[in-house]
């Protein structure tokens, strides 16, 4: 196995690609997956504006044509030279697993393969192949921690020659980290807003920066719990505009209902009030969201919560196996749960 840990990636990027031909980039942070895939693609030397050199595929393409991956990798370009086959998929598609298994045993000589995948559990899907093959470079992408967020802030603001006060940095840190591309876009927007000022203060962050740690995801989840379909659609439009995968909303909604399941079980077992449960099990919640969670605990029964958990788990599975329908599946599921909230 050739595994590049998150903190090793920048150092890895400084080295030549050498004989490494197959790259698997996966994880829950879709923005970071996309960013790192783009950085590796730039290192290959393949002309990314040449349709004969760059072949883009997704999970649907491979399902419709099972031999497509091997055909594209082994086909010589019209004008010769090396090729890049760039795939965006869930990572659990049978055809992709079979194709990568064969490629890992006999890596291509004149082609690069980059695979962007979702959040894969250890030992599942194409991650299992990456873990067992020395010819596949595996790169996991998880949400940025405080150190990574601060490095990103320094990098982007340094390009504009801007300083940032401690209070502004703290406020900015709170708003970033859920998705790398969304975080970078928010910092660039702040830098553009403060260009020529020299220093960024807390009020500037409050004026211009949205919550990229949730990328309006909290707004969407709050709308679901309140049963407000209009507010949900508004939040989803903001998420789409920030080029953030709507899949993140499904994941966040699943985590929210898992927390509700835990809290409601505690309420029923110990005959506690919602305020007591939220005080003990919801310490990490933002104080503004606690009344909403308390209200949800009053209206959602444990069987109802578990029905929605099953619905969300099924939707997440469908969105991974049918990636071309991801947005439709997510929106349909979120609206259905919102309507259930409204009835309650």
């Amino acid at each position: 196995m050739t595994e590049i840990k998150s903190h090793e990636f920048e150092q890895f990027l400084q080295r030549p690609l050498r004989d490494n031909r197959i790259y698997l980039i996966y994880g829950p942070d879709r923005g970071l997956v996309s960013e790192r895939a783009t950085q590796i693609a730039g290192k290959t030397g393949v002309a990314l504006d040449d349709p004969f050199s760059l072949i883009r595929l997704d999970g649907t393409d491979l399902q419709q044509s099972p031999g497509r991956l091997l055909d594209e990798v082994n086909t010589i370009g019209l004008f010769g030279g090396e090729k890049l086959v760039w795939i965006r998929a869930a990572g659990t598609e049978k055809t992709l697993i079979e194709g990568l298994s064969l490629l890992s045993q006999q890596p291509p000589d004149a082609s690069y393969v980059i695979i962007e995948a979702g959040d894969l559990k250890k030992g599942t899907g194409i991650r299992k192949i990456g873990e067992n093959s020395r010819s596949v470079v595996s790169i996991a992408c998880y949400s940025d921690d405080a150190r990574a967020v601060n490095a990103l802030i320094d990098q982007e603001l340094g390009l504009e020659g801007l300083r940032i006060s401690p209070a502004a940095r703290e406020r900015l840190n709170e708003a970033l980290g859920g998705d790398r591309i969304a975080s970078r876009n928010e910092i660039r927007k702040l830098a553009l807003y403060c260009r020529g000022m020299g220093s960024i203060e807390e009020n500037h962050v409050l004026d211009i920066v949205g919550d990229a740690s949730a990328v309006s995801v909290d707004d969407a989840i709050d709308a679901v719990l309140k049963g407000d379909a209009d507010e949900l659609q508004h939040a989803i439009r903001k998420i789409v505009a920030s080029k953030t995968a709507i899949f993140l909303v499904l994941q966040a909604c699943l985590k929210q209902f898992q927390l509700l399941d835990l809290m409601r079980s505690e309420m029923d077992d110990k005959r506690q009030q919602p305020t007591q449960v939220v005080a003990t099990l919801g310490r990490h919640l933002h104080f503004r969201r606690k009344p909403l969670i308390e209200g949800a605990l009053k209206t959602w029964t444990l069987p109802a919560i578990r029905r929605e958990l099953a619905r969300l788990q099924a939707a997440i599975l469908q969105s991974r196996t049918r990636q071309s329908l991801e947005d439709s599946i997510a929106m349909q599921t979120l609206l259905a749960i919102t309507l259930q909230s409204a009835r309650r």
Side-chain angles (χ1 to χ4, degrees):
M1 174 178 65
T2 305
E3 181 182 10
I4 307 299
K5 298 187 182 301
S6 189
H7 67 276
E8 300 172 337
F9 182 76
E10 292 303 326
Q11 185 178 2
F12 165 78
L13 203 61
Q14 302 305 313
R15 302 195 301 262
L17 298 184
R18 297 191 178 92
D19 296 329
N20 298 318
R21 291 284 176 171
I22 306 172
Y23 296 86
L24 168 60
I25 309 161
Y26 66 92
D29 190 334
R30 294 291 188 90
L32 187 54
V33 169
S34 177
E35 181 175 285
R36 287 181 170 173
T38 301
Q39 288 173 315
I40 292 173
K43 291 276 291 183
T44 62
V46 174
L48 302 182
D49 58 350
D50 183 353
F52 296 106
S53 299
L54 173 62
I55 308 298
R56 292 184 181 270
L57 303 173
D58 60 29
T60 305
D61 295 325
L62 300 178
Q63 288 173 332
Q64 292 174 347
S65 181
R68 180 84 182 273
L69 174 56
L70 295 178
D71 289 344
E72 294 290 359
V73 169
N74 294 317
T75 300
I76 299 174
L78 182 63
F79 301 106
E82 295 187 325
K83 289 174 57 179
L84 169 59
V85 180
W86 195 338
I87 304 160
R88 186 175 186 268
T92 55
E93 295 88 349
K94 182 181 178 182
T95 50
L96 178 56
I97 293 171
E98 292 172 348
L100 182 59
S101 179
L102 292 171
L103 284 174
S104 66
Q105 295 170 32
Q106 190 172 356
D109 294 323
S111 298
Y112 289 94
V113 178
I114 294 176
I115 303 172
E116 291 185 44
D119 189 11
L120 301 171
K121 292 182 179 179
K122 188 175 179 63
T124 62
I126 55 176
R127 179 175 174 179
K128 183 177 181 180
I129 299 171
E131 291 168 346
N132 297 323
S133 174
R134 293 183 62 84
S135 62
V136 179
V137 178
S138 297
I139 302 166
C141 300
Y142 299 102
S143 297
D144 289 328
D145 57 15
R147 180 180 177 182
V149 170
N150 276 308
L152 187 64
I153 291 171
D154 292 337
Q155 178 189 12
E156 290 297 329
L157 296 186
L159 295 175
E160 295 290 340
L162 289 166
R163 300 185 305 278
I164 184 167
S165 71
R169 181 183 289 274
E170 182 178 355
R171 183 69 66 179
L172 187 55
N173 260 288
E174 292 174 357
L176 305 177
D179 178 273
R180 172 62 70 88
I181 289 180
S183 295
R184 192 183 292 278
N185 286 342
E186 289 298 324
I187 299 169
R188 287 177 176 175
K189 183 171 66 175
L190 176 65
L192 180 63
Y193 179 71
C194 297
R195 180 176 288 174
M197 294 183 182
S199 180
I200 296 174
E201 303 299 332
E202 186 177 9
N203 63 296
H204 299 141
V205 177
L206 292 172
D207 286 345
I208 201 67
V209 175
D211 187 358
S213 65
V215 199
S216 300
V217 168
D218 278 352
D219 292 342
I221 303 308
D222 289 352
V224 169
L225 293 179
K226 287 188 287 188
D228 191 332
D230 290 339
E231 188 176 325
L232 172 65
Q233 291 176 334
H234 177 68
I236 294 297
R237 282 196 293 270
K238 288 170 66 179
I239 290 167
V240 171
S242 69
K243 298 182 180 179
T244 301
I246 197 172
F247 174 80
L248 291 173
V249 188
L250 278 182
Q251 274 193 325
C253 197
L254 178 66
K255 290 178 182 177
Q256 183 67 83
F257 272 82
Q258 286 171 337
L259 179 60
L260 287 176
D261 180 76
L262 178 64
M263 289 180 167
R264 185 69 209 203
S265 297
E266 188 82 357
M267 276 180 59
D268 294 347
D269 290 344
K270 297 184 178 180
R271 299 183 181 279
Q272 292 182 334
Q273 294 299 314
T275 50
Q276 295 173 287
V277 176
V278 171
T280 55
L281 298 179
R283 293 173 184 170
H284 65 286
L285 292 171
H286 194 283
F287 71 92
R288 292 178 181 172
R289 301 194 69 237
K290 288 184 178 181
L292 180 63
I293 302 302
E294 291 170 6
L297 288 170
K298 292 177 183 177
T299 56
W300 282 90
T301 63
L302 193 57
I305 290 171
R306 289 179 176 172
R307 280 197 302 272
E308 299 311 323
L309 277 173
R311 190 204 298 266
L312 285 162
Q313 288 166 345
I316 288 172
L317 177 61
Q318 288 179 343
S319 70
R320 289 181 176 180
T321 55
R322 306 175 66 187
Q323 200 162 15
S324 61
L325 299 177
E326 179 181 302
D327 290 359
S328 298
I329 292 168
M331 197 63 206
Q332 184 179 21
T333 302
L334 294 167
L335 277 172
I337 301 173
T338 303
L339 293 175
Q340 288 295 328
S341 292
R343 292 191 184 103
R344 293 177 183 279

